[in-house]
Amino acid sequence: MASAQVTGSTVDRVRTDSPAGRGGRARDWAEIQERMLVPLYQDVYRRLEVGAATSLLGVGCRSGLALLLAAERGAQVAGVEPDGGLRELAAARGLQVSPGGRAEGVARSAHPVPRPAHSLVTVFEQPPAPALVARAAERALPGGQLVVASWGPAERCESAAVLEVARRHAPPGAADPFAPDPFAADPFAASGPGALESLLAAAGARPSGGGRVACPFAYAGLDSAVRGLLSTGLFDRAEEAAGAALVAKELEEALHPFLRPDGSVRMANEFRWAVGTKPRG
């Protein structure tokens, strides 16, 4: 195992880029972390045959990569994202993303048309808060589909050891349904058998399928790994409780077992997703 020393750059960065000022975090998500979930997005779209007949709404779409991938398949897409920095990045990609409530318009179309409901609504937020899933279900057309996703079982996710840093420091608290707090509950709470299907059923959708997909988290180096993981929002409450510098230091230490001889970092993970159909009547 390579021995790598973490420079002060990461700790210095988080001292000035706290959850209260997340412009840098939004860029880190778009430039580092977002691509880690591409296998999940692609598996969903392939299995559900997303294409020109699809009107897709991404709830919690972040900076919009999942929407872009759907648009490349011919889908009409729109999004909902409460974080202003992430919305700005999505807008720079030509996407129409609202802060919440109504999601106006359909991006990647010559003539955007307001749509109150969509044939496919996705919730890729981790973990999928029940209130968020229920609100997403309201935006699906009768006969349309609702997708929810989650981390797989902790024993199949090497990142679980890293997430323990956040669980160790984050106090309990209530979650805002449109800015779900990952540590208001166990981030792996929806990974068990039938958990995602239960979320769909509770939101009024009839479970109709799903899948499992490998999503390795791979980074050029330790600094990149810390920045990418912090951009997920999974460590925000821990930073608020224990301080950003301490969380970054412990995160660096937790990542050391996943260092490779060339200095890169790689963690094998499994993600699950499930789809439900909204009744027509």
Side-chain angles (χ1 to χ4, degrees), residues 131-152:
L132 182 65
V133 175
R135 292 180 68 174
E138 296 173 356
R139 304 305 307 275
L141 288 164
Q145 294 176 303
L146 173 65
V147 168
V148 292
S150 172
W151 292 87

PDB file of all heavy atoms in Angstrom, residues 131-152:
ATOM      1  N   ALA A 131     -40.761  11.670   2.466  1.00  0.00           N
ATOM      2  CA  ALA A 131     -41.533  12.855   2.083  1.00  0.00           C
ATOM      3  C   ALA A 131     -41.144  13.328   0.685  1.00  0.00           C
ATOM      4  O   ALA A 131     -41.991  13.795  -0.082  1.00  0.00           O
ATOM      5  CB  ALA A 131     -41.317  13.970   3.102  1.00  0.00           C
ATOM      6  N   LEU A 132     -39.867  13.217   0.354  1.00  0.00           N
ATOM      7  CA  LEU A 132     -39.403  13.615  -0.976  1.00  0.00           C
ATOM      8  C   LEU A 132     -39.984  12.688  -2.042  1.00  0.00           C
ATOM      9  O   LEU A 132     -40.429  13.134  -3.097  1.00  0.00           O
ATOM     10  CB  LEU A 132     -37.884  13.590  -1.023  1.00  0.00           C
ATOM     11  CG  LEU A 132     -37.235  14.033  -2.341  1.00  0.00           C
ATOM     12  CD1 LEU A 132     -37.514  15.502  -2.604  1.00  0.00           C
ATOM     13  CD2 LEU A 132     -35.747  13.781  -2.308  1.00  0.00           C
ATOM     14  N   VAL A 133     -39.992  11.391  -1.768  1.00  0.00           N
ATOM     15  CA  VAL A 133     -40.539  10.424  -2.722  1.00  0.00           C
ATOM     16  C   VAL A 133     -42.028  10.678  -2.923  1.00  0.00           C
ATOM     17  O   VAL A 133     -42.535  10.630  -4.053  1.00  0.00           O
ATOM     18  CB  VAL A 133     -40.288   8.986  -2.243  1.00  0.00           C
ATOM     19  CG1 VAL A 133     -40.953   7.971  -3.166  1.00  0.00           C
ATOM     20  CG2 VAL A 133     -38.784   8.718  -2.159  1.00  0.00           C
ATOM     21  N   ALA A 134     -42.746  10.986  -1.842  1.00  0.00           N
ATOM     22  CA  ALA A 134     -44.177  11.258  -1.952  1.00  0.00           C
ATOM     23  C   ALA A 134     -44.441  12.482  -2.815  1.00  0.00           C
ATOM     24  O   ALA A 134     -45.358  12.487  -3.652  1.00  0.00           O
ATOM     25  CB  ALA A 134     -44.779  11.440  -0.559  1.00  0.00           C
ATOM     26  N   ARG A 135     -43.623  13.523  -2.647  1.00  0.00           N
ATOM     27  CA  ARG A 135     -43.806  14.730  -3.464  1.00  0.00           C
ATOM     28  C   ARG A 135     -43.435  14.454  -4.912  1.00  0.00           C
ATOM     29  O   ARG A 135     -44.061  14.981  -5.830  1.00  0.00           O
ATOM     30  CB  ARG A 135     -42.968  15.872  -2.888  1.00  0.00           C
ATOM     31  CG  ARG A 135     -43.489  16.353  -1.536  1.00  0.00           C
ATOM     32  CD  ARG A 135     -42.656  17.475  -0.963  1.00  0.00           C
ATOM     33  NE  ARG A 135     -42.779  18.702  -1.739  1.00  0.00           N
ATOM     34  CZ  ARG A 135     -42.233  19.866  -1.375  1.00  0.00           C
ATOM     35  NH1 ARG A 135     -41.546  19.926  -0.244  1.00  0.00           N
ATOM     36  NH2 ARG A 135     -42.368  20.930  -2.127  1.00  0.00           N
ATOM     37  N   ALA A 136     -42.419  13.641  -5.124  1.00  0.00           N
ATOM     38  CA  ALA A 136     -42.047  13.290  -6.496  1.00  0.00           C
ATOM     39  C   ALA A 136     -43.162  12.519  -7.189  1.00  0.00           C
ATOM     40  O   ALA A 136     -43.431  12.719  -8.378  1.00  0.00           O
ATOM     41  CB  ALA A 136     -40.759  12.466  -6.484  1.00  0.00           C
ATOM     42  N   ALA A 137     -43.826  11.637  -6.442  1.00  0.00           N
ATOM     43  CA  ALA A 137     -44.900  10.832  -7.035  1.00  0.00           C
ATOM     44  C   ALA A 137     -46.028  11.713  -7.544  1.00  0.00           C
ATOM     45  O   ALA A 137     -46.705  11.367  -8.536  1.00  0.00           O
ATOM     46  CB  ALA A 137     -45.428   9.840  -5.996  1.00  0.00           C
ATOM     47  N   GLU A 138     -46.246  12.847  -6.907  1.00  0.00           N
ATOM     48  CA  GLU A 138     -47.296  13.762  -7.344  1.00  0.00           C
ATOM     49  C   GLU A 138     -47.030  14.314  -8.733  1.00  0.00           C
ATOM     50  O   GLU A 138     -47.948  14.754  -9.425  1.00  0.00           O
ATOM     51  CB  GLU A 138     -47.434  14.919  -6.353  1.00  0.00           C
ATOM     52  CG  GLU A 138     -47.888  14.480  -4.962  1.00  0.00           C
ATOM     53  CD  GLU A 138     -47.853  15.619  -3.974  1.00  0.00           C
ATOM     54  OE1 GLU A 138     -47.401  16.735  -4.361  1.00  0.00           O
ATOM     55  OE2 GLU A 138     -48.259  15.416  -2.822  1.00  0.00           O
ATOM     56  N   ARG A 139     -45.766  14.294  -9.171  1.00  0.00           N
ATOM     57  CA  ARG A 139     -45.401  14.864 -10.466  1.00  0.00           C
ATOM     58  C   ARG A 139     -45.412  13.843 -11.590  1.00  0.00           C
ATOM     59  O   ARG A 139     -45.106  14.180 -12.737  1.00  0.00           O
ATOM     60  CB  ARG A 139     -44.008  15.504 -10.370  1.00  0.00           C
ATOM     61  CG  ARG A 139     -43.865  16.554  -9.287  1.00  0.00           C
ATOM     62  CD  ARG A 139     -44.918  17.653  -9.419  1.00  0.00           C
ATOM     63  NE  ARG A 139     -44.922  18.232 -10.745  1.00  0.00           N
ATOM     64  CZ  ARG A 139     -44.112  19.226 -11.137  1.00  0.00           C
ATOM     65  NH1 ARG A 139     -43.253  19.726 -10.278  1.00  0.00           N
ATOM     66  NH2 ARG A 139     -44.180  19.687 -12.355  1.00  0.00           N
ATOM     67  N   ALA A 140     -45.747  12.593 -11.283  1.00  0.00           N
ATOM     68  CA  ALA A 140     -45.818  11.559 -12.317  1.00  0.00           C
ATOM     69  C   ALA A 140     -47.220  11.504 -12.902  1.00  0.00           C
ATOM     70  O   ALA A 140     -48.222  11.617 -12.188  1.00  0.00           O
ATOM     71  CB  ALA A 140     -45.446  10.195 -11.734  1.00  0.00           C
ATOM     72  N   LEU A 141     -47.300  11.333 -14.203  1.00  0.00           N
ATOM     73  CA  LEU A 141     -48.574  11.163 -14.873  1.00  0.00           C
ATOM     74  C   LEU A 141     -49.237   9.856 -14.433  1.00  0.00           C
ATOM     75  O   LEU A 141     -48.543   8.901 -14.077  1.00  0.00           O
ATOM     76  CB  LEU A 141     -48.364  11.115 -16.387  1.00  0.00           C
ATOM     77  CG  LEU A 141     -47.998  12.419 -17.093  1.00  0.00           C
ATOM     78  CD1 LEU A 141     -47.441  12.113 -18.476  1.00  0.00           C
ATOM     79  CD2 LEU A 141     -49.220  13.328 -17.191  1.00  0.00           C
ATOM     80  N   PRO A 142     -50.562   9.778 -14.458  1.00  0.00           N
ATOM     81  CA  PRO A 142     -51.212   8.480 -14.266  1.00  0.00           C
ATOM     82  C   PRO A 142     -50.680   7.475 -15.291  1.00  0.00           C
ATOM     83  O   PRO A 142     -50.615   7.771 -16.488  1.00  0.00           O
ATOM     84  CB  PRO A 142     -52.695   8.785 -14.500  1.00  0.00           C
ATOM     85  CG  PRO A 142     -52.827  10.252 -14.167  1.00  0.00           C
ATOM     86  CD  PRO A 142     -51.532  10.873 -14.625  1.00  0.00           C
ATOM     87  N   GLY A 143     -50.251   6.318 -14.822  1.00  0.00           N
ATOM     88  CA  GLY A 143     -49.610   5.355 -15.700  1.00  0.00           C
ATOM     89  C   GLY A 143     -48.134   5.600 -15.885  1.00  0.00           C
ATOM     90  O   GLY A 143     -47.441   4.797 -16.522  1.00  0.00           O
ATOM     91  N   GLY A 144     -47.616   6.722 -15.334  1.00  0.00           N
ATOM     92  CA  GLY A 144     -46.195   7.036 -15.422  1.00  0.00           C
ATOM     93  C   GLY A 144     -45.387   6.273 -14.395  1.00  0.00           C
ATOM     94  O   GLY A 144     -45.926   5.547 -13.556  1.00  0.00           O
ATOM     95  N   GLN A 145     -44.074   6.471 -14.440  1.00  0.00           N
ATOM     96  CA  GLN A 145     -43.177   5.705 -13.583  1.00  0.00           C
ATOM     97  C   GLN A 145     -42.413   6.610 -12.631  1.00  0.00           C
ATOM     98  O   GLN A 145     -42.081   7.759 -12.954  1.00  0.00           O
ATOM     99  CB  GLN A 145     -42.187   4.913 -14.442  1.00  0.00           C
ATOM    100  CG  GLN A 145     -42.853   3.829 -15.286  1.00  0.00           C
ATOM    101  CD  GLN A 145     -41.865   3.129 -16.191  1.00  0.00           C
ATOM    102  OE1 GLN A 145     -41.194   3.757 -17.000  1.00  0.00           O
ATOM    103  NE2 GLN A 145     -41.774   1.813 -16.059  1.00  0.00           N
ATOM    104  N   LEU A 146     -42.117   6.061 -11.448  1.00  0.00           N
ATOM    105  CA  LEU A 146     -41.343   6.741 -10.415  1.00  0.00           C
ATOM    106  C   LEU A 146     -40.166   5.860 -10.047  1.00  0.00           C
ATOM    107  O   LEU A 146     -40.344   4.682  -9.740  1.00  0.00           O
ATOM    108  CB  LEU A 146     -42.212   7.003  -9.187  1.00  0.00           C
ATOM    109  CG  LEU A 146     -41.528   7.552  -7.941  1.00  0.00           C
ATOM    110  CD1 LEU A 146     -40.984   8.955  -8.205  1.00  0.00           C
ATOM    111  CD2 LEU A 146     -42.508   7.573  -6.762  1.00  0.00           C
ATOM    112  N   VAL A 147     -38.950   6.420 -10.085  1.00  0.00           N
ATOM    113  CA  VAL A 147     -37.730   5.677  -9.764  1.00  0.00           C
ATOM    114  C   VAL A 147     -37.121   6.243  -8.484  1.00  0.00           C
ATOM    115  O   VAL A 147     -37.003   7.465  -8.326  1.00  0.00           O
ATOM    116  CB  VAL A 147     -36.701   5.765 -10.911  1.00  0.00           C
ATOM    117  CG1 VAL A 147     -35.329   5.249 -10.466  1.00  0.00           C
ATOM    118  CG2 VAL A 147     -37.179   4.969 -12.121  1.00  0.00           C
ATOM    119  N   VAL A 148     -36.744   5.361  -7.579  1.00  0.00           N
ATOM    120  CA  VAL A 148     -35.987   5.745  -6.391  1.00  0.00           C
ATOM    121  C   VAL A 148     -34.720   4.903  -6.348  1.00  0.00           C
ATOM    122  O   VAL A 148     -34.688   3.780  -6.858  1.00  0.00           O
ATOM    123  CB  VAL A 148     -36.804   5.559  -5.093  1.00  0.00           C
ATOM    124  CG1 VAL A 148     -37.942   6.545  -5.025  1.00  0.00           C
ATOM    125  CG2 VAL A 148     -37.326   4.127  -4.973  1.00  0.00           C
ATOM    126  N   ALA A 149     -33.666   5.447  -5.759  1.00  0.00           N
ATOM    127  CA  ALA A 149     -32.380   4.746  -5.704  1.00  0.00           C
ATOM    128  C   ALA A 149     -31.771   4.883  -4.323  1.00  0.00           C
ATOM    129  O   ALA A 149     -32.107   5.798  -3.560  1.00  0.00           O
ATOM    130  CB  ALA A 149     -31.431   5.287  -6.767  1.00  0.00           C
ATOM    131  N   SER A 150     -30.858   3.977  -4.019  1.00  0.00           N
ATOM    132  CA  SER A 150     -30.231   3.971  -2.696  1.00  0.00           C
ATOM    133  C   SER A 150     -28.879   3.286  -2.782  1.00  0.00           C
ATOM    134  O   SER A 150     -28.595   2.526  -3.716  1.00  0.00           O
ATOM    135  CB  SER A 150     -31.114   3.217  -1.696  1.00  0.00           C
ATOM    136  OG  SER A 150     -30.457   3.024  -0.457  1.00  0.00           O
ATOM    137  N   TRP A 151     -28.048   3.553  -1.775  1.00  0.00           N
ATOM    138  CA  TRP A 151     -26.879   2.724  -1.576  1.00  0.00           C
ATOM    139  C   TRP A 151     -27.324   1.269  -1.444  1.00  0.00           C
ATOM    140  O   TRP A 151     -28.401   0.974  -0.922  1.00  0.00           O
ATOM    141  CB  TRP A 151     -26.155   3.107  -0.279  1.00  0.00           C
ATOM    142  CG  TRP A 151     -25.513   4.454  -0.277  1.00  0.00           C
ATOM    143  CD1 TRP A 151     -26.092   5.632   0.061  1.00  0.00           C
ATOM    144  CD2 TRP A 151     -24.149   4.753  -0.598  1.00  0.00           C
ATOM    145  NE1 TRP A 151     -25.174   6.649  -0.038  1.00  0.00           N
ATOM    146  CE2 TRP A 151     -23.976   6.137  -0.438  1.00  0.00           C
ATOM    147  CE3 TRP A 151     -23.068   3.972  -0.999  1.00  0.00           C
ATOM    148  CZ2 TRP A 151     -22.769   6.772  -0.671  1.00  0.00           C
ATOM    149  CZ3 TRP A 151     -21.853   4.598  -1.226  1.00  0.00           C
ATOM    150  CH2 TRP A 151     -21.703   5.979  -1.073  1.00  0.00           C
ATOM    151  N   GLY A 152     -26.478   0.349  -1.885  1.00  0.00           N
ATOM    152  CA  GLY A 152     -26.715  -1.059  -1.611  1.00  0.00           C
ATOM    153  C   GLY A 152     -26.368  -1.376  -0.170  1.00  0.00           C
ATOM    154  O   GLY A 152     -26.058  -0.479   0.626  1.00  0.00           O
TER     155      GLY A 152
END
